[in-house]
Structures are given as C-alpha cells and as structure tokens.
Amino acid sequence: MSQITNDWLDAISSEFKKPYYRELYNFVKDEYSRTVVYPPADDIFNAFHFTPLSKVKVLILGQDPYHNVNQAHGLSFSVKPGEDIPPSLQNIYKELNEDLGCYIPNNGYLEKWAREGVLLLNTVLTVRAHQANSHQGRGWEQFTDAVINAVNEQDRPIVYMLWGRPAQSKAPMLTNPKHLILKAPHPSPLSAYRGFFGCKHFSMANEFLEKNGVEPIDWQIENI
C-alpha cells in the first residue's frame, strides 16, 4: 500500500493507529501474499493521491473494486486505459451525454475527473480476483466512513452523488448544510432505467458549484 502523503494524512492518520486498521492491514497483506487481489497494492489509495482533501468538489461513492484482470486501479467506476468500458460506466456516459452533451469516449479511465476534484471513492478498497465483495466486513468500511466524515467536515460547497441503496445508506453521515446531496438508482444495467437515466446529477452539481463561486467540473473524458 503506497503511503498517503498529502493533506488527507492530517484528516485520517488517526485511523492508522486504531486496532481495526491493524487487523485490516494484516488481512490485506496476507491476501496479497496468498492470492490475486485487485487493485495492485500501489493503487489502493489512488483516489486520495489524485484528489487531495482540499481539492474535493464532488464525491462519487462506489462499493467494491472491479474484480477482473487489469480493471481496478483505485478509483471507483474507472478502469485502466485499453480495458472495456464496464456496463455501469457506459450508463454514466449515456447520462452525461444526455445531460451535458459530452461525447461518449473510447475509454473508461477517469483520472481526469479525480484531478478535477471528483473523489472517486469505493467503500471497500480491495477485492479478491473474480470474487465480488470478498473483502467486505474486514474494516475498509470503517476506514472509508472516516474519509466521508472528513469530507463532511469541509467548510465549503461539496456535492455527493449517492447512486443505489448502499451509497445512500451513508446519507445520515452527511450533515453539513453547505453541501448538496444527490440521490439516484445505481447506474448498473439492472437499475439505471429506474431513475438514474434522467437524474441530471452532473448539470445539477455544476450549477451548485457555480452558484457558490466554485469552478465547475469538466466532465468530458477525452478519447485516447
């Protein structure tokens, strides 16, 4: 696990000293030594490396990293360049196209969003190859709750996009009146037609940021 070195350290360093985190660390280390785990160990904390806490404008909450070869790289919903665009991300792109007119790119690499201030956070940060949810309930949820709390404490306008029931279960933690909470069904093919399509979260986020004097997000992912 490559160390977090930016301003996230001040906000969440106390987590690293807690008993649950020691157990989590040992579990994850053991899993990497015995089996195939995604993302690569050096990518686990990429969401924090690419989006310092002081730069967070939008938080998009996913659940579990992708569990197939070469997909996960530490950003929720994102895959590495050259990989097929997963179905949920295809639906996110369709909604962006309808909402803001963004063209649908030929890749699913969302680092640009992260650099723009979109914290692409999964609630669980590692997974065994080909075994969805295999690292649930091991402590990652407590760690990422601390991350969500740190964002909630930021005294400036921030947008949360909570897609699907697991993400929406975090809404009670979001108590800051300066922040905007947007909820919709998950963009997966199973639920996108129940209200994710047409939710207009991307334009709503940018309108909210602009209204509060914050530079909006450029949501266009370019072709590679």
Side-chain angles (χ1 to χ4, degrees):
M1 296 194 211
S2 63
Q3 289 304 308
I4 295 171
T5 54
N6 58 17
D7 61 0
W8 280 108
L9 208 52
D10 293 338
I12 58 176
S13 59
S14 61
E15 298 303 303
F16 299 132
K17 303 180 183 79
K18 293 179 180 176
Y20 88 87
Y21 191 86
R22 197 170 308 119
E23 283 179 34
L24 169 65
Y25 180 86
N26 290 333
F27 165 74
V28 169
K29 196 170 152 193
D30 185 53
E31 285 282 282
Y32 274 96
S33 70
R34 290 190 307 114
T35 183
V36 178
V37 176
Y38 298 126
D42 283 349
D43 288 346
I44 291 173
F45 291 135
N46 272 351
F48 310 105
H49 298 321
F50 294 162
T51 316
L53 178 57
S54 59
K55 301 283 189 243
V56 174
K57 299 176 183 180
V58 176
L59 191 160
I60 297 180
L61 198 58
Q63 283 172 262
D64 203 36
Y66 295 121
H67 52 78
N68 289 330
V69 185
N70 244 352
Q71 290 183 312
H73 65 102
L75 305 180
S76 65
F77 294 102
S78 180
V79 289
K80 290 180 180 174
E83 296 305 305
D84 289 343
I85 301 170
S88 290
L89 185 53
Q90 288 179 26
N91 287 339
I92 290 169
Y93 284 163
K94 282 180 194 166
E95 174 59 22
L96 262 172
N97 175 255
E98 283 290 310
D99 186 14
L100 290 174
C102 296
Y103 69 80
I104 294 176
N106 62 3
N107 68 93
Y109 189 55
L110 305 182
E111 184 185 329
K112 176 185 173 179
W113 289 1
R115 302 278 184 200
E116 287 263 331
V118 182
L119 182 64
L120 294 164
L121 181 69
N122 281 316
T123 52
V124 174
L125 299 188
T126 54
V127 68
R128 263 190 196 195
H130 317 302
Q131 294 181 41
N133 304 322
S134 47
H135 286 184
Q136 271 191 351
R138 294 292 187 158
W140 278 129
E141 294 90 345
Q142 191 171 338
F143 178 76
T144 53
D145 277 358
V147 171
I148 293 166
N149 278 325
V151 176
N152 183 59
E153 286 167 10
Q154 296 302 294
D155 188 31
R156 61 178 201 281
I158 292 174
V159 182
Y160 302 88
M161 295 183 182
L162 305 181
W163 298 333
R165 213 164 284 143
Q168 288 167 19
S169 72
K170 304 295 182 185
M173 300 169 62
L174 308 175
T175 56
N176 192 322
K178 291 192 174 175
H179 297 176
L180 175 67
I181 300 169
L182 301 175
K183 297 179 185 176
H186 196 275
S188 89
L190 298 172
S191 54
Y193 287 95
R194 295 190 206 132
F196 178 77
F197 290 136
C199 71
K200 298 201 177 301
H201 279 188
F202 303 101
S203 59
M204 288 163 79
N206 277 358
E207 282 163 20
F208 173 80
L209 293 171
E210 284 186 285
K211 193 175 82 184
N212 286 282
V214 179
E215 184 79 16
I217 305 292
D218 176 5
W219 292 103
Q220 180 66 68
I221 296 293
E222 281 88 14
N223 285 335
I224 291 178

